[in-house]
Each structure stands twice: as structure tokens, then as C-alpha cells.
Amino acid sequence: MYELKTKETENSVIEFIEKVDSLKKREDAYKLLDIFTETTGYPAKMWGPSIIGFGSYHYKYESGHEGDAPLVGFSPRKAKISLYFAPGETKREELLEEFGKHTTGKACVYINKVADIDVDVLRALIKESVTFLKEMYPEQGK
């Protein structure tokens, strides 16, 4: 049986941020912590060893694979900061046009630093992602 690696843990978000090597990334992590907390209304929780997530939902795919995931989150990684939004959210591409300097993956948006992006657009991306997932999984969205 497949075991999910990214599960909510009891680890301290602040302790994790304090261990980030780069001072600039650490400062950005605290800025993002404030932005995500204010925008979602959810407390920050560690998911796995390196993702700071907000809220949670339970998903189940047609394949039978299921699990829990944060509604949104971020991770201050060595190379770039990963921002996690809902895959499939329809307004994402439109919002990213106004976001600032970034690259994208399937569910991730990567930035070098908070100064490169429009924080108002970040807040809109967070809200859209949370709304989308709560509509997709209405009984979940904790």
C-alpha cells in the first residue's frame, strides 16, 4: 500500500523556519507565514519535513488513491521558495500573469524572493485555491 510522505505533523513551524540557512529566505518565510495565516485564517502546520501548510482537505482519486493535504502552503527550499496551490484551479493562470517573477510546476509556483512578486496577487491565489478546494471537497476544508 502506498504510504503518503507528506502528512501533517506536530513539528514546530517556527523551529523549522529558524533552521533555514539563508537569512533572506528565513525573512521571506516569516513574511509568507504572515500572509498565508492572515489570508486563510488557518494556523500554520508542518506537513512532512519541509512544507508549511494551512487548512486541510481529504482527497480521493478514481484510482482509489486517497489522502490528506494542506489547502495551500509553502516551503523555503534552498534553490527557490515553493508555493503550493490547488492543481486545476481555473483562475490560477490568469492571476499568475500579474504575479511577478516566477516559474511553475503542476501544483507549485516557484519564486526566488517575496520582493519579486505582487503580494496582492499572492493573496488572490491563496483565496482562489482555498475556495476551489472547498468546492471540490465540500465536506472537508477544515
Side-chain angles (χ1 to χ4, degrees):
M1 181 84 181
Y2 176 78
E3 178 73 20
L4 276 175
K5 290 186 202 108
T6 309
K7 294 182 188 170
E8 187 177 321
T9 71
E10 294 300 317
N11 297 345
S12 166
V13 171
I14 300 301
E15 283 178 21
F16 170 71
I17 292 173
E18 284 300 315
K19 290 179 184 164
V20 171
D21 287 340
S22 161
L23 175 62
K24 287 277 184 219
K25 279 238 170 59
R26 205 162 43 244
E27 288 171 353
D28 276 351
Y30 280 117
K31 287 177 191 168
L32 290 169
L33 181 62
D34 289 344
I35 292 165
F36 275 80
T37 302
E38 288 169 16
T39 307
T40 65
Y42 294 109
K45 302 274 187 174
M46 289 303 302
W47 284 77
S50 62
I51 296 174
I52 300 169
F54 301 81
S56 67
Y57 69 101
H58 186 81
Y59 60 86
K60 186 170 186 174
Y61 299 132
E62 286 180 21
S63 66
H65 175 80
E66 64 181 299
D68 296 306
L71 292 168
V72 289
F74 71 92
S75 183
R77 304 199 184 274
K78 260 190 176 44
K80 293 185 181 262
I81 297 169
S82 301
L83 305 173
Y84 299 95
F85 303 114
E89 197 284 306
T90 55
K91 293 182 184 160
R92 178 173 134 163
E93 291 307 313
E94 185 183 321
L95 287 166
L96 286 176
E97 289 176 18
E98 306 296 320
F99 190 50
K101 189 176 173 186
H102 71 281
T103 55
T104 59
K106 186 176 179 181
C108 293
V109 174
Y110 305 100
I111 63 171
N112 290 317
K113 56 189 181 286
V114 174
D116 287 345
I117 61 166
D118 183 324
V119 173
D120 289 335
V121 175
L122 173 59
R123 289 180 195 281
L125 284 162
I126 293 167
K127 287 176 187 169
E128 286 297 330
S129 191
V130 169
T131 300
F132 175 78
L133 288 169
K134 283 184 171 184
E135 287 171 1
M136 287 281 295
Y137 306 93
E139 64 284 346
Q140 303 303 320
K142 297 188 273 182

